[in-house]
Amino acid sequence: MILLGILVLFVQNISAQDKGNISGTVIDSVGKNAVNYATIGLFKSGSTKPLNGTTSDDKGNFILNDLPFGDYKLTVEFLGYHPKSFAHIIIDQKNMHVLLGKIFLSTSSTQLASVTVTAHAPLVQNKIDKLVYNAANDLTSQGGVALDVLKKVPMISVDVDGNVELQGNANIRFLINGKPSSIFGASLADALQSIPASQIKSIEVITSPGAKYDASGTGGIINIILKDSKVEGINGSINVSAGTRLENGSFNLNARKGNIGVGVFFSGNEKLNTTIINTINRLSYNTTMDTLTSLYQQGTSPFVRSGYQSGLNFNWSITKNDELTASFGFNHFGNHGTAFTNQDQQSRLSNGNLLYDISSTRNSASRFSSNSADWSAGYKKKFKKEDREIEFLYTSSYGKNTAYASQLSEYQNAGYPPSGLQSNNPGRDHETDISIDYTEPLIKGFTIETGVKAVLENLYNSVVTDTLFNNDHYVNNPGQTYSFQYNRNIYAAYISSSYTLFHDFINGKAGLRYERTNTKADFEGTNIPGYNIFAPSFVAQHKLDETQSIKVAYNYRIERPDYGDLNPFLNVSDPHNISTGNPLLKPEIGHNFELGYNKTFKQGGNIYFAGFYRYNTQDIQSFTTYYPVYSAGGTDYTDVSLTQRYNIGLQTALGFNIFGSVPVTNALNLRSNIQIGERTNSTPGLASVTGFAYRVNLNASYQFPKNLLIEVFGNYNSSQKNIQGTRPAFVFYNLAVRKQFMHKNASIGFTAANPFGEYVTQTLTTFGSNFNQNNIRKIPFRSFGITFSYKFGKLEFKKTKETNSEDMNMNTP
């Protein structure tokens, strides 16, 4: 088999020697910006029938490979621009690699005054280092939030609580427009439910980040790209939706004149009052197994969530080689809820004799609020030598969070006085990132990138807890009143190379990143030493032909604990189920391997396969411990399950993901995504646990005449074993109808989620060395809604690209 493989590679290399390629970069002649999705056509000289073709990528680059020796004509076209053509392009033994350089397209002002463009980018694009999901073309999630979009993205799974996993790993680095934001630090699920889907342009899934990216996130990176526009003139959009469970809206306005562009946006949403029905049964026992204690809880929890975002971005092309960018964003989200719970505690000896039976009711309340502000300023300098550039970027993010919880327990048994507490947990976080990146093309097909970066993080929070005294008033509890200061500075440097080998037989990128982390915490008993990491990464791709390619990748990642993981605040809104952070957490280390295959078809269909293997050390996971009596700051709580994050040991994962899209007819399109994997947790002192899981979804869309579109989507996430029990399965399905009118500038739609079932019922099992627990939740999920959108402006550039493509540009965004 090895000899056969060598022979195949040899024959392919020999045949490649009789072929060449043509490459270039399409540029707007006025703003000097890249023109992506420009149509590149290739003809044999004297022929009017296209021989080959492609489209430019997001940097305007294109390349046509595997061209036999001959005489060609090449055309470059895009709506709103005058076309350009190049005649008599000769490819022979002396001119195997034709470089057209920068191709400047001039706008056609007579067309701009009268043409409205409403074409669509492909829903999924597979690039060498990432997968791009174009959310603007996703119909069923447009009335929802970011989590609804993520549920449909290949390789990503989302559970009913909004917990996100990428290829089975929950430790993901989230970015907005390629930059970090403190909006994700306090509560990731809340943050993702505060961003309307109508505000999202695309989602980039980066499972094999290069050395230019921060090493954070053992699962990879998810980059949420918000909508913007680089079109000359004024344009914008309005999107609103109203429903039985969720309401949201967004407004975008963009203006560009010559080399200056400005954009503003505002969006907001509210999840209407949702009441969850919750039942807990827990059985615990002492070490000799002669005393059994049971806890039964049954209650309801009304809950409301809301949020809004606003932002401003600025772009100034000072000269064709100098560009200045700046942005500012403000984000707010919050939630509040109440709960009423009936409780019964019993303790019996093994012979059945009753020791006690305590019945009580508990009224609790919680409230959380987060405000964050992000701003950035960047400068990019290009030089006369093509692709040589230097970029400076400064970003800063400020967050201010407040968490409040209270509970009052009243007992039906005589002799048990009421108990209660109130706690307030204000906090703030500040992150500043400063980076310099330099790119130098050394020779054809080989480019070096290098850079340095500093990340300065500062977290602070305080906790004030008051306890009910004499059933009369609340007094401060000094044992649970404290403050917490956490500082972490990361200093990084990297070097990376983009390469093309053996006459474009292999394209890839390889690099090494160094990061030094210094951490300081003033929490009692906490001493965190500094540490260094070297994070290698590489990706290599081979195009089998113009329609298919394979790639292999490896990267080293690290997961540093975030604000929520570290915060030692005790959430005692339920005194029998307490949760807290862990300031002693160490970073999680991950090694990720990936093998990918992509195939596109002439009819517009495509298939993508990604196999992955991952192993993490010092893996960070939640762990629940049962205490008959738990003491916190001088207060004793009885019959307690304490949930906290720990470095549990080693986790390995092996699996694959298959995505396929099939245009059955011109009107009917089917898409499906299947993910299958096995995960093993090995924890010192505990038995190893292996859990098998799969995810399957199917999307069908049908385009009727007169601009009427119907789309149906269904998804099933299987259950999976973990270190302490079983994560429940989750199924949901959506239906959407959209009618476009006013020359496709406006649309009205109807959406429905789980229309045939009011609740999603989940059964979660948890066990430990001295307890077993069953938790049944009924979560309202059925919803109906209507949507309306309107786009204005003389020309909207939603550039046409009918099939998926592979981006052969090695540069990260």
Side-chain angles (χ1 to χ4, degrees), residues 36-72:
N36 53 329
Y37 297 141
T39 301
I40 315 299
L42 187 69
F43 304 80
K44 277 283 190 180
S45 288
S47 173
T48 59
K49 182 179 180 180
L51 175 71
N52 203 335
T54 187
T55 54
S56 56
D57 63 21
D58 54 4
K59 292 193 174 183
N61 299 320
F62 70 87
I63 185 169
L64 294 169
N65 286 310
D66 298 326
L67 302 178
F69 291 170
D71 187 352
Y72 297 97

Side-chain angles (χ1 to χ4, degrees), residues 282-285 293-297 344-347 356 574-578 625-630 636-642 770-771 773:
R282 185 169 70 220
L283 180 65
S284 56
Y285 32 86
T293 302
S294 65
L295 171 70
Y296 175 80
Q297 296 178 310
D344 184 70
Q345 294 172 263
Q346 291 186 0
S347 183
Y356 62 79
D574 179 356
H576 297 294
N577 295 280
I578 300 175
T625 307
Y626 174 78
Y627 295 90
V629 178
Y630 179 73
D636 291 339
Y637 300 94
T638 61
D639 202 11
V640 174
S641 288
L642 177 70
N770 58 349
F771 78 99
Q773 179 170 302

Side-chain angles (χ1 to χ4, degrees), residues 65 185 417 533 560 620 681 731 811:
N65 286 310
I533 66 163
R560 300 179 179 90
I620 298 175
N681 293 294
V731 61
N811 294 325

Side-chain angles (χ1 to χ4, degrees), residues 245-275:
R245 193 165 54 90
L246 180 69
E247 297 177 343
N248 64 41
S250 63
F251 170 76
N252 292 70
L253 180 64
N254 301 281
R256 174 168 288 276
K257 179 68 174 177
N259 57 355
I260 295 179
V262 179
V264 295
F265 74 89
F266 179 86
S267 63
N269 71 358
E270 180 176 7
K271 184 176 183 180
L272 305 180
N273 193 31
T274 299
T275 299

